[in-house]
Each structure stands twice: as C-alpha cells, then as structure tokens.
Amino acid sequence: MDNLQNVVAGFEVVLEPTNLLYCLLGVVIGMLVGVLPGLGPAATIAILLPLTYGIEPVTAIIMLAGIFYGAQYGGTITSVLLRLPGEASSVVTVLDGHALARQGKAGTALGIAAIGSFVGGTIAIVGLTFLAPLVAGFALDFGPPEYAALALLGILLVATIASGARVKALIAAVVGLLLATVGRDAFTGVERFTFGNLDLADGIDFVPVAMGLFGLGEILYNLEERHRAVHAPRKVTNVWPSRQDLRQSSGAVGRGSVLGFFLGVLPGGGATIASMAAYATEKRRAKDPSRFGKGAIEGVAGPETANNAAATSSFIPLLTLGIPANATMALMFGALLIQGVTPGPQLVDQDPELFWGVVNSMYIGNVLLLIMSIPLVGIFVRILRVRPAILAPVTALITLLGAYTINNSVFDVLLVVLFGAVGYLMKKFGFEPGPLVLAFVLGSLLEESVRRSLLLFGGDPTGFLTRPISAVLLALFVVVAVWPIIRSTRRRRSAAQDTIDREGASV
C-alpha cells in the first residue's frame, strides 16, 4: 500500500511544470545527440554534469534520464535514412533499416522502430516499477563482503562483455582501478600517488575524468573521423506501418522487450549488447535468415525494442544497489553524488519522491518520444549539415567552462584536457573508455568493501565464502573469468579435429 502511495506521489512530482519541462528538454536533447554520429548520451551527460549542479536533484536526474533513453530513438533516424548509426545501440539497425529505406520504406522502418521503442521502454518501466523495490529490499541484506563481490563481478563483466578486444577492455579497467586509489587513504589517512600535489590529496574527481574521456576525447576523435559528406535523404512518407508489418514484427517486439529488460539489469549489459543480442535472436529464429540485411522488418523491430528496454532497466541496479551497469549509468551515478544523493537500497525509503519521480518520468518521456519521433525527423537531418569544424569547438568550450564552474578550479580544467587526450588516444588505438570509467567508479567501493570485510573476518579471506550471497557472486565471477578460456580451448580443439578429419578424408 505504501508503495502505491509513493508511485502516485511520484506522478505528482513529475507533473510539476518544471519537471515536465526538463523531461521534455531531456528527451529532445537525447534525440538530438542520438542523431549526431559519435556524440552519444554518455558524452552529452558528461558535458552537462556541471549544469545540473544548481538544479533540484529530481529535476536534474529526470533530464539526464531523458537524454539517455531519448538517444536510443534518435540513433534510429540516421541509421535508417543515412546509414550512419547515430548511437552505438543503433549499429545493427543500419543493416535492415537502410535496406528498407532504399526500397522506399523508410517511413515504415521508422514507424516500426518508434512503436517498438515505445513498447519496449514501457514494458521495462513497468518491470522497473515492480522489481526495483524488491531488489532494494533484498539489497538491505548486503554488507561489505556482498558489495565487494558485486563490485568485482561488475567490473569483470563490463571488461569482458565490452565491445572491442577483451584484453584491451581489461587493461582499461585496471587503469580505472589504479586511478581510484589516488588520494588520501580512507582508513589510514596516508596520501597515495599524489606526487606532493595538494589538488590530488582528496583524489581525482569523477566529473573531470568523465568530461575528458567522454566529452573532449569524443570531440577530438569525431573531428578526425567525420570527413565524409552527409546527403539529405528523400522525404519520409507512409510512417504508419501496415497490418502485415505490425503482425510480422509483433513477435520481435515482444522478444526484444524481455531480452532487453534482462540484459539491461546485468552489470556489463546495456542497450548496445541488447540490440545485438535481439538481432541475432531474430535472425536465428527466422525461417529464411537470408532476408536479414536485405530489409527484414524484424531486423529493425527487435533491436530497437531491446535497446530501449535495456536503457530503462539499467536504472534498477543503479538506484537499488548503487552499482552502475554500464558507462552511461556510471555518469548518472556521478550526477546523483553531485546532487548529494547516494543511490542504494535505502533510496526507495529515504527519498521516495526522487526515486518514483525519476521512474514515473520515463512513462511521460516515452509518450513524448513517440509523439515527436517522426515529426522532428526533417529538423534533425538538417542539423547533420552543420560542419563539425563549427560544432566541435563550441562543444569543447562548453565542456571546459563547465569543468571550471564546478569548483572554480583551473586544475579541474587541466584534468579535463589531460583525460581528453587520453580518451582520444584510447579511441584511436581501440580501447573503450567505458570499462575505465566504470572501474574508476566502482574502485573506491571495491577497496573499501574488501578492507572492511577483512577487518570483519579478522584478515581471513575465506570469510567471503562463508556468506551465501558473496559466495554465489564470487562463484559467478569465476565462471565469467574462466568461460572465455574454456570456449577458446573448445574452438581450438574443434578446429584441430576438423583438420585431422579433412586430412584423413584426403588420404
């Protein structure tokens, strides 16, 4: 009964004019950054973090959440019309979405994507509404050993599931853990890795790291990459799909909703992995897999539904456990801390207005996105004509000014520039910044939880195995760590056996 009252109170919070305005602003900005190739929600949230400092916490998080799930919609537009994935989670939509556009069915592809995104997002919000309080109640049993095991598992999952080379992702995660140790030791007060610099005595602030790696780093990298011209597509018509299209894609929408919801909850999951998994699922289930890549409507419906469901469900571990499931959630975690809000199992009871206000704002935001997604297509495509040479310096200036205004510190600006160069080099050499940022965020939690646990167990590390939850989480850690080795060994043996069989057949 209390939860029902809190849900109703959450709607009252969302329907305040200021919060409605920021919800609308968030989803519009999200669609915009989804349209602009390479920018993405993580970079945008990093750039806007300083601007949220003077806003009420619930209002700020409503806007940032709108940017995140709004970007999933925006990325579809350029994927279908221009064959340019505006957001990483829309990469697989390019395959069939643009093929449909070449057949004169761009409107159908965008319409199905909008409907699937709305359905997937709404189902995930309903799941979030019912599941999050249960997870929060369960998380009250978590102590230092459980949080240590969960943080360790989260870092490993992010590093192993991240796109790109697994070894590079692990290296990035290790660097993030090392950066988290800079500053004064919380237990002994001894300074570590500060090199006598007083600005580092309290550690490296999250905001300059995020703004450098995702903001300035992305800007520099995109300036180098975006040299090709973008041609405006033909006028989009026939946006509403036919009954046959709706019937053909309904199964993909349903499966994408469920798959995206569960992959979004997992640490290391998220919209990109969910969209790829949904596409693979639809292709595997299809009677004629050869249709995929040539204009299969399920190849648009499944991924676009899954990425929105995952974007929404990834708020569950963030708000209830205080564990960010992906890089964008790590930035959201930083935004909450800046606002003086500590996400975790106590948040539901201690600050129900913020918790339910953010959750319920997603219902409103999803409806706004469905209404606006097609009428604004023409405007967003025109924005693509703005030359990067004009857009990038303005964005970089805003980033640096924002970094300075947080603490009025030139040192923070220097950190942004430093991490911007690091972010550029990471992208250049195939290292994803996501594992680094997540490990940096979780590093402090991991260190503190491990040391508190060892104090609790009298220095005996086997104490982690005496508690059921931490033991299960550590067992999952071992499985995730060992499984790639087992899989690669099986592949090598299978390849060797095939070679022997072929040689035997030739004899």
Side-chain angles (χ1 to χ4, degrees):
M1 189 66 182
D2 288 339
N3 271 345
L4 181 60
Q5 291 175 347
N6 288 332
V7 171
V8 173
F11 275 113
E12 292 176 359
V13 171
V14 180
L15 293 175
E16 291 178 8
T18 302
N19 291 333
L20 274 178
L21 176 62
Y22 275 90
C23 181
L24 175 62
L25 183 63
V27 296
V28 171
I29 293 174
M31 289 183 71
L32 174 59
V33 299
V35 165
L36 293 173
L39 192 55
T44 307
I45 291 172
I47 293 168
L48 293 179
L49 277 179
L51 301 181
T52 64
Y53 194 73
I55 306 174
E56 287 294 318
V58 64
T59 306
I61 303 304
I62 283 174
M63 182 185 72
L64 296 179
I67 291 172
F68 183 36
Y69 56 81
Q72 314 307 319
Y73 277 79
T76 312
I77 296 171
T78 47
S79 293
V80 171
L81 300 180
L82 306 174
R83 208 173 186 275
L84 288 171
E87 164 53 18
S89 60
S90 299
V91 168
V92 292
T93 307
V94 167
L95 302 175
D96 288 282
H98 191 65
L100 285 167
R102 289 202 308 270
Q103 298 167 17
K105 298 180 179 179
T108 301
L110 290 172
I112 282 291
I115 293 169
S117 297
F118 175 76
V119 172
T122 303
I123 289 175
I125 299 165
V126 173
L128 172 60
T129 302
F130 287 100
L131 186 60
L134 297 177
V135 174
F138 172 73
L140 289 173
D141 295 329
F142 275 42
E146 287 75 22
Y147 272 108
L150 186 62
L152 193 64
L153 177 62
I155 292 169
L156 181 67
L157 280 170
V158 169
T160 54
I161 300 177
S163 58
R166 186 175 288 112
V167 174
K168 291 182 177 181
L170 285 169
I171 292 171
V174 169
V175 173
L177 289 173
L178 289 173
L179 289 173
T181 63
V182 174
R184 198 174 284 110
D185 189 303
F187 287 80
T188 64
V190 176
E191 291 187 4
R192 305 177 299 185
F193 308 115
T194 61
F195 306 102
N197 190 323
L198 292 176
D199 289 308
L200 291 174
D202 292 326
I204 299 174
D205 194 18
F206 170 77
V207 177
V209 174
M211 294 180 75
L213 290 175
F214 287 105
L216 198 58
E218 292 283 346
I219 292 166
L220 293 173
Y221 182 76
N222 291 331
L223 264 179
E224 184 179 50
E225 291 295 312
R226 289 183 62 187
H227 291 307
R228 54 184 172 177
V230 178
H231 302 288
R234 298 175 183 174
K235 187 177 179 181
V236 178
T237 57
N238 301 325
V239 172
W240 190 254
S242 65
R243 286 186 180 179
Q244 182 182 352
D245 291 326
L246 290 171
R247 196 182 311 114
Q248 197 171 351
S249 58
S250 59
V253 170
R255 288 185 290 271
S257 299
V258 176
L259 186 63
F261 179 81
F262 286 107
L263 285 177
V265 173
L266 293 175
T272 303
I273 291 172
S275 64
M276 292 178 177
Y279 188 84
T281 300
E282 294 310 313
K283 189 172 182 179
R284 195 179 298 117
R285 287 180 55 90
K287 294 179 181 178
D288 182 13
S290 64
R291 292 190 306 109
F292 283 76
K294 300 176 182 177
I297 196 70
E298 306 98 302
V300 174
E304 288 302 312
T305 303
N307 64 27
N308 276 269
T312 302
S313 65
S314 58
F315 279 87
I316 293 177
L318 173 70
L319 296 176
T320 59
L321 298 173
I323 300 290
N326 51 60
T328 308
M329 287 297 105
L331 295 167
M332 205 73 72
F333 181 88
L336 284 163
L337 294 180
I338 287 173
Q339 295 289 340
V341 177
T342 304
Q346 301 289 343
L347 183 63
V348 180
D349 295 324
Q350 291 182 354
D351 203 345
E353 284 194 359
L354 184 143
F355 182 88
W356 291 111
V358 171
V359 171
N360 293 344
S361 72
M362 297 180 191
Y363 288 106
I364 308 295
N366 251 351
V367 173
L368 291 173
L369 284 167
L370 182 65
I371 294 170
M372 296 187 304
S373 57
I374 302 304
L376 293 179
V377 168
I379 296 173
F380 287 133
V381 171
R382 287 191 188 95
I383 291 170
L384 284 168
R385 295 173 180 168
V386 179
R387 288 164 52 198
I390 296 172
L391 195 61
V394 173
T395 311
L397 180 62
I398 293 171
T399 302
L400 296 175
L401 285 174
Y404 178 78
T405 55
I406 296 175
N407 299 312
N408 293 329
S409 169
V410 176
F411 184 75
D412 284 349
V413 176
L414 294 175
L415 280 179
V416 172
V417 173
L418 173 63
F419 282 105
V422 171
Y424 165 75
L425 292 173
M426 287 181 72
K427 295 282 286 185
K428 186 80 174 169
F429 292 102
F431 288 84
E432 287 294 323
L436 188 155
V437 171
L438 267 163
F440 176 72
V441 169
L442 294 176
S444 299
L445 173 65
L446 177 63
E447 181 189 11
E448 185 178 335
S449 299
V450 168
R451 293 174 71 175
R452 288 187 186 279
S453 300
L454 290 175
L455 288 173
L456 186 67
F457 299 138
D460 182 10
T462 60
F464 286 97
L465 303 177
T466 62
R467 297 171 66 118
I469 297 175
S470 62
V472 170
L473 291 172
L474 288 174
L476 287 173
F477 174 85
V478 173
V479 170
V480 173
V482 173
W483 177 247
I485 300 172
I486 296 173
R487 189 171 56 183
S488 62
T489 303
R490 284 181 177 177
R491 285 177 179 173
R492 283 198 299 270
R493 287 180 179 176
S494 178
Q497 187 62 46
D498 290 343
T499 303
I500 293 170
D501 291 342
R502 284 195 300 270
E503 290 175 354
S506 63
V507 171

